Amino acid sequence: MPIEILMPALSPTMEEGTLSKWLKKEGDKVSSGDVIAEIETDKATMEVEAVDEGVIGKLLIAAGTEAVKVNTAIAVLLQDGESADDIGSAKPAPKAEEAAPAAANAEEPAKQAAAPVPAAPKSETPADPAIPAGTEMVTMTVREALRDAMAEEMRANDDVFVMGEEVAEYQGAYKITQGLLQEFGARRVVDTPITEHGFAGVGVGAAMAGLRPIVEFMTFNFAMQAIDQIINSAAKTLYMSGGQMGAPIVFRGPNGAAARVAAQHSQDYAAWYSHIPGLKVVMPYTAADAKGLLKAAIRDPNPVIFLENEILYGHSFEVPKLDDFVLPIGKARIHKIGKDATIVSFGIGMTYAVKAADELAKLGIDVEIIDLRTIRPMDLPTVIESVKKTGRLVTVEEGYPQSSVGTEIATRVMQQAFDYLDAPILTIAGKDVPMPYAANLEKLALPNVGEVVEAVKTVCYK
Amino acid sequence: MAPRKSASVSGRKTTAKPAKKDFTGGTIAEFDRDQELGAYREMLLIRRFEEKAGQLYGMGFIGGFCHLYIGQEAVVVGMQMALKEGDQVITGYRDHGHMLATGMTARGVMAELTGRRGGYSRGKGGSMHMFSKEKNFYGGHGIVGAQVSLGTGLAFANRYRGNDNVSLAYFGDGAANQGQVYESFNMAALWKLPCIYIIENNRYAMGTSVARASAGVDFSQRGSAIGIPGFQVDGMDVRAVKAAGDEAVEHCRSGKGPIILEMQTYRYRGHSMSDPAKYRSKDEVQKMRSEHDPIEQVRARLIEKGWASEDDLKAIDKDVRDIVADSADFAQSDPEPDVSELYTDILI
C-alpha cells in the first residue's frame, strides 16, 4: 500500500508551515534519511527527511504553499511493485486518524479542563514510639546525639557511609563525625576534596546504585553549589523513573546563622528545600529529636535534607537510653502544652519560642509550643488541632520573611482553620536583609525573644 | 588513530603520568561474522528507531524535546560489546541509542517517548529521563554534565562493594566543559574508581562547534593533569570502539582507576528536532554520511567478506523495521498514564 508523507511538526509549538521547496520530484527514488523537502516555520527553515523507502508517486502540495497544517498529506510514496494507480489507496504513515493527540486536545480546552485532577494523597504518620517507663535519660549535646545516630546506623548496615569535607581525619569541621574514622575506617568515612557539586553527585549516584550515603556539607551554605544534584537528581529520579530507582541519601550539616560569619555563611534553607516534591526536610531542635530523626533519615528510602545548627550543636538535652531510638519523620512534637496561643517553630527558632513562653507566663499568657521538627512533609494536623484550641498562632524562624515556612503555615491554617482563628496569624522571621557582620546589626537581623513576646501579646489582644 | 607522543615539558617534573603511552588507541578489533552481523543489526535498530521517533515527533505523538542519535550508533554498540553483566551505563539527554544498546525494549522506549503507561517511566519521564534497573541503565539525564558525577557515584558503589564492575559515564563535547566533570575526574582519580568516561565528541554542542567553545580540543587529554589516561577513538568504526572499550574495561576492572575515551563521532540530525542546522554546511553532513557512516561500513564488510548476501541484509532490515513498527504501533495505541499516576512515585 502506498504511504502518505505528512507535513511534520518540527517544534513542540508548530501548527502549520510553508512548504517552500521540493527537493525530490515525482518518480524519484528515496531512501531513509534523504532530504525530500524544505519547510519554513515561524522560526526557521527546516529539512524534511524521508523515513520510509520508495518512489515518489505524487506530490500533493505544491512548492510555495503557505499555511500547510501539520499532519496534512504532502506526498505519496510508492512501495516496491506499486504504480501511480495505487495512489488512491494510500495509507497514512502511520495511522493518521489517531494522529496528533496534542492538537486534538488543544481544540477541546473545555473538555480538558473538566478532567478531574486527583487529590493529593494524604499520608498518616505514626506517633512517636512510647518510651518504656523507667528508661534512663542521658544528658547529651546535639553534637553527640548526631554522632551516635550515625554510628549506630553504620554498625547496623554496611551500606551506610559518610562522606564530606573533613569528616574523617579532621574528625569533622564541627566534630559531628568524631571517632567515626577510628571505628569504621576510611572505606566508610570518606574525606572528599572541596568539591560540593561533585561529591553531592557522587553521593546521589552511589545511592542510585543502592548504597546509603550520608553526605555532610560543612555548612548548607556550600550546598548551593550542589543544589542541582540535590533537586534535579536526588529529588526527581524516583518520579522520572516511574518508581524504578530513587536516591536513599541524607544530606546533612549546619544550616542558618552561626555567630558573626556574615552574609555568605548565615542562610537558613528550610523554606528552600521545603519547596521541592521528592525531598523530606528535617530540622530538629533537641538532642533526642536529632538522634531519633537522623536514624530515621538514614533508613528512609527517600532523599532527606537534615538541617542542623552550629549554635545548637553544643546545647544539652535529655535523650532516652534505648538500643534503637527512632522517631517518625513528618510528625510535630508538642513541646509545651498551653491554652492561650500557639507558637509553631523548629530548629533554632525554638530557642526564641521557649524563652518567650517563660516571659509570657509571667504576664499570665499560657502558650502552647509546637516544634515542627519536619518541614516536609509538614504535620499540619497537629498545628490545626492546637489552633482549634487556642485560636491564635505565631510562627518563629530565622529564615527570610518572604515565602518563608511561616507564611506557608499561615496560608494553610487560614485555608483549613479560618473559622477557628480569633486573630490574624503573625509570622516572626529574620529580617529581609543579607546577614550583616557587625555585632549590633547581626542582632537586629535575627528574630529576638521580645518580638515573639510582642507578637503573642498582639494576637491575644493584650 | 595512532597515539600521539606526549609533549615533554622542559626542565619540569610533573607528578601526572603521561597519559597515553600505555594505550594503543587506534586499534581495530577483529570481528567474526556473528559480531559483524550483531553490530549491524544493533546499529540499524537504533537508526530505524530514531527515524521513526523523528516521524512520530513530526506527527505530534512525541512532545517536548527529542534528541536523535542518528550517526553516532557505533559508539554505544561498540562499547556495549565490551561490557559484562552488572556494568552500569549512564548518559545525558541524547539517550535513545544507549537504552536500545543496553537491551531495553523498543516498545518501552518508544512508549515513553509518546508519554504512555507502557513506557519505561510509565510516561512520567519522557525522552530525556528513562531508566532501567534491570538493564543497569541509570538514565537519561537532562542537566548537561550531571550524569558525570552520578556515573562516578555508580563507580564508587562498585568499589565500595568490592565487585569488579565498571560504570560507563557518557557525555558530549559540550558537557566536557562543565565544572562538575572535573570535580568528578579528580575524585575518580584520587580514589581509583572504575569509571570509563566516554566523551562523545560529535563536534557541536547544540549549535556551537568544538573550536568555538573549547580552548583545548583534544578531549581525551582533559584528565591528563591528574593522571587520567585517555585516547581518541574513531567513533564511526564500531570495531575501533570495541577495541577501545576492551582496553578501557580491562584498565578499570584491574583497579587502575578511571579512563577517558574520546569518541570522534558525528550526528546527522539537528541538536533537537527544532534545529535548522545553520551552523554547519550540508556538504559536511553529506561527507560524513557518505564516507564514514558506521552502518554502511559494516554492511560493506559483510558483503565483501561474503558473510552476508544482499538478501540476508534485507531480511535483517525487515526484521528491524518490524520491531520498530511494532514499537510505534504500541506507543500510539497504549493508553496515557492513569490520572492517579500524577501523585505516585514522589516518595517511597
Side-chain angles (χ1 to χ4, degrees), chain A residues 1-3 52-55 77-83:
Chain A
M1 204 183 298
I3 294 172
D52 299 289
E53 300 190 351
V55 173
L77 199 62
L78 301 174
Q79 306 291 90
D80 276 355
E82 292 170 351
S83 71

Side-chain angles (χ1 to χ4, degrees), chain B residues 96-295:
Chain B
H96 311 162
H98 303 70
M99 294 188 278
L100 294 172
T102 60
M104 290 166 69
T105 67
R107 272 190 168 207
V109 178
M110 196 69 93
E112 189 59 40
L113 296 183
T114 56
R116 306 305 172 95
R117 63 179 63 174
Y120 269 99
S121 300
R122 305 219 294 265
K124 289 151 78 166
S127 166
M128 300 183 285
H129 316 110
M130 256 184 269
F131 306 79
S132 170
K133 201 159 205 172
E134 187 201 345
K135 299 293 181 190
N136 284 304
F137 180 72
Y138 285 80
H141 294 270
I143 304 298
V144 176
Q147 77 274 22
V148 183
S149 305
L150 296 169
T152 307
L154 297 172
F156 181 95
N158 289 333
R159 202 209 51 165
Y160 188 89
R161 290 180 165 133
N163 63 34
D164 71 344
N165 280 121
V166 303
S167 117
L168 268 56
Y170 288 90
F171 54 107
D173 49 279
N177 290 325
Q178 285 277 29
Q180 65 178 314
V181 170
Y182 300 91
E183 298 187 21
S184 302
F185 282 1
N186 184 47
M187 283 180 279
L190 196 62
W191 299 332
K192 296 216 176 307
L193 302 182
C195 194
I196 304 176
Y197 297 105
I198 301 156
I199 304 178
E200 296 193 66
N201 177 2
N202 66 15
R203 302 192 194 179
Y204 299 92
M206 204 168 157
T208 303
S209 68
V210 158
R212 291 204 300 124
S214 297
V217 297
D218 182 349
F219 290 99
S220 72
Q221 296 310 298
R222 286 289 176 102
S224 60
I226 48 177
I228 303 181
F231 53 93
Q232 296 179 317
V233 182
D234 177 359
M236 304 301 277
D237 183 344
V238 68
R239 301 169 306 167
V241 174
K242 164 72 161 63
D246 285 341
E247 282 199 73
V249 164
E250 160 59 25
H251 175 84
C252 280
R253 283 208 214 290
S254 60
K256 292 180 187 148
I259 185 169
I260 297 169
L261 300 178
E262 177 190 341
M263 297 290 174
Q264 299 183 315
T265 183
Y266 200 78
R267 78 169 141 72
Y268 298 171
R269 295 290 188 96
H271 161 72
S272 66
M273 289 300 295
S274 46
D275 171 0
K278 295 298 181 208
Y279 47 85
R280 60 184 183 184
S281 71
K282 282 182 185 170
D283 287 349
E284 179 184 304
V285 182
Q286 201 44 50
K287 195 171 157 62
M288 288 303 288
R289 289 175 90 132
S290 57
E291 295 174 18
H292 298 280
D293 187 78
I295 299 174

Side-chain angles (χ1 to χ4, degrees), chain A residues 325-336:
Chain A
F325 176 65
V326 184
L327 291 169
I329 292 175
K331 194 77 185 169
R333 178 175 56 82
I334 299 172
H335 185 81
K336 173 187 174 302

Side-chain angles (χ1 to χ4, degrees), chain A residues 161-168 173 177 189-208 211-230 233-234 247-254 273, chain B residues 145-157 179-188 190-191 193 197:
Chain A
F161 68 97
V162 57
M163 72 191 297
E165 293 156 7
E166 311 292 4
V167 297
T177 52
V189 185
V190 183
D191 272 331
T192 66
I194 301 171
T195 187
E196 283 85 6
H197 195 184
F199 72 70
V202 168
V204 175
M208 288 168 76
L211 296 183
R212 297 277 177 152
I214 304 167
V215 171
E216 175 176 307
F217 290 114
M218 195 181 288
T219 110
F220 262 93
N221 294 284
F222 304 158
M224 287 249 259
Q225 301 225 34
I227 204 163
D228 171 66
Q229 288 290 4
I230 296 172
S233 301
I249 187 169
V250 177
F251 297 103
R252 52 154 290 273
Y273 290 111
Chain B
Q147 77 274 22
V148 183
S149 305
L150 296 169
T152 307
L154 297 172
F156 181 95
Q180 65 178 314
V181 170
Y182 300 91
E183 298 187 21
S184 302
F185 282 1
N186 184 47
M187 283 180 279
L190 196 62
W191 299 332
L193 302 182
Y197 297 105

